[in-house]
Amino acid sequence: MKQLENDTNLPRYDRCAALLMEVVPLIMRVIRAEIRGVAEMSVPQFRAMGFLSRHPGTPLSGLAEHIGLTMPTMSKMIDGLVDRQLVTRQSSSSDRRRIELALTPEGLALLESVRGHISVRLSEKLRSLPEQSLIAINRSLGELRSAFTLPGEVGIGTEG
Amino acid sequence: MKQLENDTNLPRYDRCAALLMEVVPLIMRVIRAEIRGVAEMSVPQFRAMGFLSRHPGTPLSGLAEHIGLTMPTMSKMIDGLVDRQLVTRQSSSSDRRRIELALTPEGLALLESVRGHISVRLSEKLRSLPEQSLIAINRSLGELRSAFTLPGEVGIGTEG
DNA sequence: TATTGTTATACTCTATAACTATA
DNA sequence: TATAGTTATAGAGTATAACAATA
């Protein structure tokens, strides 16, 4: 079954996939622990706040869709963030069914603080690597981002 | 603030950290969706089975510690896997307080099946990248694995 | 009638505390 | 008394279904 023309690259893909299966959860754990520890917040909450920082005024339905949660789930999540005064929830003047969500200044500050803490923690781990490796890793991560970003989708560090 | 000797590399670390924050959750979602979709299983369940495939006979306490869950949580998780006939739970002959955990043949087959499906799904995403990039990405992932693997810790694709 | 959001309910995953059996 | 594991209970986080308000 490896005779087909398209299969010549499969071992390389397999190797890459196996490495991703191994490395990605390791790094995800660091990120999750930092979000929890610094802000007592789940990853989806953090992603939602990141999205709102880029798209203030987003309605609940749009946010739920972008983050990949149902509206009831997002509604409850926003309840909690509003209670913590990290997010504002305001009826739209043009369509009173809609609510426009945005970060409070405290929410934005917390978001930036968490991002900074994650960056510091990840950098600590990266310090063992030589300069030349970091250059290559940066390029590789940029290519992985292209490969895994669907049109309309966003990442944790940027939009959601 | 960029004049300090030690700071010359900081932007590179920052850039790398920001990319990780963005890329890692994207890939994690693909992996999680595949585990859920193929095996109706959570990521920790999948990791536990991966660990048992490498360390059959592990007691509950050891598994809980390696996966990073409490014993009650692991006990309930194993309940479910035993009910599904993916894991066996057998009292130790030398110390009857302990139970020795292992995969059933069905459990091992499911584990391998899920790994294959994840690999296929990740490979699909990687197909857009040129051969040369894959080589560099493989090298980069290997270095990231080194940087993020603590002694005794394991990855999803290998041990846990 | 369709859309936006909330409430009701339930299930999974997780934890801490209390308990049982064994050492 | 100490250890391995389970049971009891509780709190997030998620979903589907039913509901309310608005268009």
Side-chain angles (χ1 to χ4, degrees):
Chain A
M1 53 172 74
K2 294 281 172 64
Q3 292 86 348
L4 291 174
E5 205 178 355
N6 270 344
D7 280 348
T8 52
N9 285 333
L10 276 189
R12 186 101 60 200
Y13 288 126
D14 283 351
R15 171 81 181 138
C16 197
L19 278 167
L20 286 175
M21 270 190 267
E22 190 173 349
V23 172
V24 163
L26 286 176
I27 303 176
M28 196 65 219
R29 256 184 289 173
V30 173
I31 294 174
R32 182 180 296 112
E34 207 60 24
I35 294 173
R36 280 242 168 258
V38 172
E40 294 183 6
M41 188 177 286
S42 68
V43 174
Q45 282 175 322
F46 182 69
R47 293 182 57 226
M49 289 185 59
F51 188 87
L52 291 180
S53 76
R54 300 244 166 187
H55 303 280
T58 300
L60 187 73
S61 54
L63 181 61
E65 184 179 350
H66 277 283
I67 300 301
L69 297 173
T70 60
M71 276 215 291
T73 296
M74 186 55 74
S75 181
K76 260 185 60 178
M77 177 192 291
I78 292 296
D79 280 350
L81 296 176
V82 169
D83 285 349
R84 291 174 64 180
Q85 306 194 348
L86 301 174
V87 167
T88 57
R89 186 165 39 183
Q90 180 183 336
S91 283
S92 164
S93 49
S94 60
D95 180 345
R96 293 217 311 268
R97 291 173 304 180
R98 304 176 114 207
I99 61 171
E100 293 169 350
L101 302 169
L103 294 188
T104 63
E106 295 84 357
L108 183 58
L110 182 61
L111 180 68
E112 291 303 332
S113 166
V114 175
R115 283 177 176 160
H117 278 85
I118 295 172
S119 185
V120 166
R121 189 56 50 101
L122 293 178
S123 293
E124 281 172 15
K125 303 276 189 178
L126 296 171
R127 241 192 285 288
S128 63
L129 299 175
E131 175 74 4
Q132 203 57 38
S133 296
L134 279 182
I135 296 171
I137 290 172
N138 275 339
R139 189 163 39 230
S140 294
L141 289 175
E143 294 184 293
L144 285 174
R145 177 178 54 180
S146 302
F148 281 88
T149 301
L150 300 180
E153 274 202 59
V154 292
I156 197 174
T158 55
E159 304 204 348
Chain B
M1 50 171 73
K2 297 282 172 64
Q3 293 86 348
L4 290 175
E5 206 177 355
N6 268 345
D7 279 347
T8 52
N9 285 333
L10 278 189
R12 188 101 59 199
Y13 287 126
D14 283 352
R15 172 78 180 141
C16 198
L19 277 166
L20 286 175
M21 269 190 267
E22 189 172 350
V23 172
V24 164
L26 286 177
I27 302 175
M28 196 65 220
R29 253 183 292 173
V30 173
I31 293 174
R32 181 180 296 113
E34 207 61 21
I35 294 173
R36 280 241 169 259
V38 172
E40 294 182 6
M41 189 177 286
S42 68
V43 175
Q45 282 176 320
F46 183 69
R47 292 183 57 228
M49 289 184 60
F51 188 87
L52 291 180
S53 76
R54 300 244 166 187
H55 303 279
T58 301
L60 188 74
S61 54
L63 181 62
E65 184 180 350
H66 276 282
I67 300 301
L69 297 173
T70 61
M71 275 215 293
T73 297
M74 187 54 75
S75 180
K76 261 184 61 178
M77 177 191 290
I78 293 296
D79 280 349
L81 295 176
V82 169
D83 285 349
R84 291 174 65 180
Q85 306 194 347
L86 301 174
V87 168
T88 57
R89 186 166 37 183
Q90 180 183 336
S91 284
S92 165
S93 49
S94 60
D95 180 346
R96 293 217 310 270
R97 292 173 304 180
R98 302 177 114 208
I99 62 169
E100 293 170 348
L101 301 169
L103 294 188
T104 63
E106 295 85 357
L108 183 57
L110 182 61
L111 180 67
E112 291 303 331
S113 166
V114 174
R115 282 177 177 160
H117 277 86
I118 295 172
S119 184
V120 166
R121 190 55 52 101
L122 293 178
S123 294
E124 282 172 14
K125 301 278 188 178
L126 297 171
R127 241 192 285 287
S128 64
L129 299 175
E131 176 73 5
Q132 203 57 40
S133 296
L134 278 183
I135 295 171
I137 289 171
N138 276 339
R139 188 161 40 231
S140 294
L141 289 175
E143 294 184 293
L144 285 174
R145 177 178 53 181
S146 303
F148 281 88
T149 301
L150 300 179
E153 276 202 58
V154 292
I156 197 174
T158 54
E159 303 206 349

